[in-house]
């Protein structure tokens, strides 16, 4: 009888061991693996009319965009330095109800002028607003590149969504600020283009579009640039970490103009664990090269205590790992100066939408272009289930 009991006890031990192995496997996958965009599909393009005037302002210069899911609206920041009108952001409606973006389905519905802490508009040239991110307090954070040549510092400020009035300013680490010697700080027009907030609204991220002067060279043909991602803790409004982001070297093609520009214009937080989409944009002489990457801070070194990458052996620093998701040149679309991205609403089929928007530089030869995509974002658990159940959702 005891022998029979022992025989039936063995499978229970095996089942217990299997359960422990599965729990460990689940734990590893859930807490160490990144969310992943497993597919992306282009679902349409729209453009705004050139020279569009809305409420006595010229619409354009859209450098950043953020989505308000509660009201199904988008807020797009203009990088007009006060030449066309005072610093401002626009509220847009983008209709994706048909599961695609059709021509004529993007409309401005309001414009909000930014006011400083004294309730006054920003003086021309005082700001170069580039990034925008929505909070859960009916406010937006907005980043400005400043003007290194005129020693105007970059800023990240919080503004009221309804009145446009400044609420608070985040402190910028000294290493980012320009000085008279031109030996440190941001490069002109290559500073805080990007801005994003994690879904739990606890952390804000921005990044330099190119390297700080003391960190390395600006992007050149076939040469990338070492940018810094700057992380803020919104519980105490303080900067806390920095990470190295290396942009891709881009080859100019038939560059008859001799002009070349390349950098990191935007980031988009996908979760609360440091996983993003990043947008890299280059003007190559014959149009624009736009790349979309998946990015993770996992494994990247915190470099906030390093004031100059050129002063150390930077080869020992682990940069932010990234994976190419899409080269937009493969689309059958004439690309413009894409600078902003945001997640939009869920589409009728339940998939997630993604919106990209261009800065037309108020140039008659360029367009305000909006591109829409359908993406599938998978969590570690979903990916695990797909491995265990290969026929899932087929």
């Amino acid at each position: 009888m005891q022998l029979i009991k022992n025989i039936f006890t063995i499978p229970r031990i095996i089942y217990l061991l299997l359960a422990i192995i599965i729990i460990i496997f689940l734990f590893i996958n859930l807490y160490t693996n990144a969310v992943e965009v497993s597919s992306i599909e282009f679902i349409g393009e729209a453009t705004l009319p050139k020279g569009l005037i809305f409420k006595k302002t010229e619409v354009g210069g859209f450098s950043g965009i953020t989505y308000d899911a509660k009201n199904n609206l988008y807020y797009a920041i203009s990088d007009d330095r006060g030449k066309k009108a005072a610093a401002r952001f626009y509220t847009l409606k983008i209709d994706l109800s048909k599961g695609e973006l059709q021509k004529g389905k993007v409309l401005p519905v309001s414009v909000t002028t930014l006011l400083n802490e004294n309730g006054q508009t920003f003086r021309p040239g005082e700001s170069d607003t580039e990034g925008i991110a929505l909070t859960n307090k009916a406010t937006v954070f907005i980043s400005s590149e400043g003007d290194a040549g005129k020693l105007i510092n970059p800023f990240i400020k919080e503004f009221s969504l309804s009145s446009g009035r400044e609420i608070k300013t985040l402190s910028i680490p000294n290493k980012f600020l320009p000085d008279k010697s031109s030996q440190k700080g941001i490069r002109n027009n290559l500073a805080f283009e990007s801005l994003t907030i994690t879904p739990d609204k606890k952390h804000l991220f921005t990044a330099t579009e190119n390297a700080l002067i003391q960190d390395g060279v600006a992007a050149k043909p076939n040469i990338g640039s070492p940018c810094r991602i700057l992380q803020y803790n919104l519980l105490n409004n303080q900067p806390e970490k920095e990470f190295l982001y290396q942009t891709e070297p881009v080859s100019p093609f038939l560059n008859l103009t001799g002009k070349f520009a390349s950098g990191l214009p935007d980031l988009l937080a996908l979760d609360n664990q440091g996983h993003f989409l990043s947008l890299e944009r280059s003007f190559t002489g014959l149009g624009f090269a736009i790349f979309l990457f998946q990015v993770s801070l996992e494994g990247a070194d915190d470099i906030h205590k390093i004031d100059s990458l050129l002063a150390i052996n930077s080869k020992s620093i682990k940069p932010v790992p990234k994976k190419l998701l899409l080269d937009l040149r493969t689309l059958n679309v004439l690309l413009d100066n894409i600078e902003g991205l945001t997640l939009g609403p869920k589409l009728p089929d339940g998939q997630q939408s993604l919106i990209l928007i261009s800065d037309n530089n108020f140039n008659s030869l360029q367009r305000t272009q909006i591109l829409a995509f359908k993406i599938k974002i998978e969590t570690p658990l979903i990916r695990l289930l797909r491995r265990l159940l290969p026929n899932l959702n087929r």
Side-chain angles (χ1 to χ4, degrees), residues 148-168:
K150 297 179 180 178
L151 297 182
I152 298 175
N153 290 335
F155 69 65
I156 301 172
K157 296 178 181 286
E158 185 177 13
F159 296 87
S160 166
L161 197 57
S162 57
S163 70
R165 185 159 182 165
E166 179 183 332
I167 296 171
K168 70 164 68 84

Side-chain angles (χ1 to χ4, degrees), residues 224-258:
S225 187
C227 307
R228 285 190 189 236
I229 294 176
L230 175 56
Q231 174 182 323
Y232 282 86
N233 185 333
L234 291 181
L235 299 180
N236 59 19
N237 297 314
Q238 294 300 309
E240 57 182 7
K241 294 181 180 180
E242 295 170 23
F243 303 92
L244 173 60
Y245 181 106
Q246 185 69 44
T247 65
E248 295 300 300
V250 177
S251 300
F253 181 64
L254 292 179
N255 196 346
L256 303 178
T257 65

Side-chain angles (χ1 to χ4, degrees), residues 42-45 95-102 105 347-348 372:
F42 179 58
I43 57 170
E45 171 195 18
D95 186 359
L96 298 175
S97 60
K98 302 295 185 183
E100 61 182 0
L101 179 58
Q102 300 173 336
K105 294 299 182 178
L347 297 167

Side-chain angles (χ1 to χ4, degrees), residues 278-295:
S278 70
L279 188 66
E280 293 189 28
R281 177 276 328 270
S282 299
F283 177 73
T284 64
L286 189 65
F288 293 92
I290 314 292
F291 305 97
L292 195 60
F293 291 91
Q294 297 184 70
V295 175

Side-chain angles (χ1 to χ4, degrees), residues 76-373:
I77 185 70
S78 174
D79 68 356
D80 179 9
R81 296 191 182 198
K83 293 181 179 180
K84 301 287 185 179
R88 60 201 182 277
F89 67 86
Y90 291 85
T91 302
L92 306 177
K93 282 188 176 181
I94 302 177
D95 186 359
L96 298 175
S97 60
K98 302 295 185 183
E100 61 182 0
L101 179 58
Q102 300 173 336
K103 297 183 185 301
K105 294 299 182 178
V106 179
L107 296 172
V109 294
S110 68
V111 58
T112 304
T113 300
L114 298 181
L115 305 174
N116 63 21
E117 58 186 352
N118 298 317
Q120 300 173 332
T121 58
F122 289 85
R123 296 188 304 272
E126 184 180 5
S127 66
D128 181 13
T129 46
E130 300 279 357
I132 185 168
L134 180 68
T135 74
N136 57 358
K137 301 179 294 181
T139 65
V140 287
F141 277 96
I142 291 174
S143 62
S144 169
E145 290 194 297
D147 190 323
K150 297 179 180 178
L151 297 182
I152 298 175
N153 290 335
F155 69 65
I156 301 172
K157 296 178 181 286
E158 185 177 13
F159 296 87
S160 166
L161 197 57
S162 57
S163 70
R165 185 159 182 165
E166 179 183 332
I167 296 171
K168 70 164 68 84
T169 300
L170 301 185
S171 62
I172 306 293
N174 186 61
K175 67 171 73 74
F176 292 89
L177 304 181
D179 67 1
K180 294 180 181 179
S181 69
S182 299
Q183 298 300 307
K184 65 174 279 290
I186 57 167
R187 286 181 160 89
N188 197 43
N189 208 31
L190 294 173
F192 295 153
E193 282 251 359
S194 57
L195 205 63
T196 187
I197 296 177
T198 53
D200 63 8
K201 308 303 180 183
K202 293 182 179 179
H203 292 94
L204 176 146
F205 293 84
T206 187
T208 57
E209 187 178 1
N210 267 211
L212 298 178
I213 292 173
Q214 70 270 26
D215 280 346
V217 300
K220 300 178 181 179
N222 301 305
I223 298 176
S225 187
C227 307
R228 285 190 189 236
I229 294 176
L230 175 56
Q231 174 182 323
Y232 282 86
N233 185 333
L234 291 181
L235 299 180
N236 59 19
N237 297 314
Q238 294 300 309
E240 57 182 7
K241 294 181 180 180
E242 295 170 23
F243 303 92
L244 173 60
Y245 181 106
Q246 185 69 44
T247 65
E248 295 300 300
V250 177
S251 300
F253 181 64
L254 292 179
N255 196 346
L256 303 178
T257 65
K259 295 182 179 179
F260 180 86
S262 185
L264 171 66
D266 214 355
L267 289 170
L268 175 63
L270 295 176
D271 62 14
N272 305 317
Q273 286 77 43
H275 307 123
F276 303 84
L277 294 181
S278 70
L279 188 66
E280 293 189 28
R281 177 276 328 270
S282 299
F283 177 73
T284 64
L286 189 65
F288 293 92
I290 314 292
F291 305 97
L292 195 60
F293 291 91
Q294 297 184 70
V295 175
S296 171
L297 300 184
E298 289 183 16
D301 290 331
D302 179 4
I303 60 172
H304 81 278
K305 293 183 179 180
I306 301 173
D307 288 335
S308 170
L309 295 178
L310 291 177
I312 64 167
N313 179 16
S314 60
K315 292 182 179 179
S316 63
I317 295 174
K318 295 179 181 177
V320 170
K322 58 182 188 175
K323 173 185 174 184
L324 180 63
L325 179 64
L326 179 65
D327 180 346
L328 272 69
R329 293 176 299 183
T330 61
L331 304 177
N332 187 26
V333 172
L334 179 62
L335 297 172
D336 212 289
N337 184 32
I338 300 293
E339 289 195 358
L341 78 163
T342 185
L343 295 178
K346 291 293 180 68
L347 297 167
D349 64 0
Q351 296 299 317
Q352 177 66 56
S353 63
L354 176 71
I355 294 292
L356 276 61
I357 198 165
S358 76
D359 173 3
N360 69 349
N361 293 309
F362 297 99
N363 185 330
S364 61
L365 298 178
Q366 293 183 249
R367 302 163 296 152
T368 296
Q369 179 183 49
I370 301 92
L371 304 177
F373 298 85

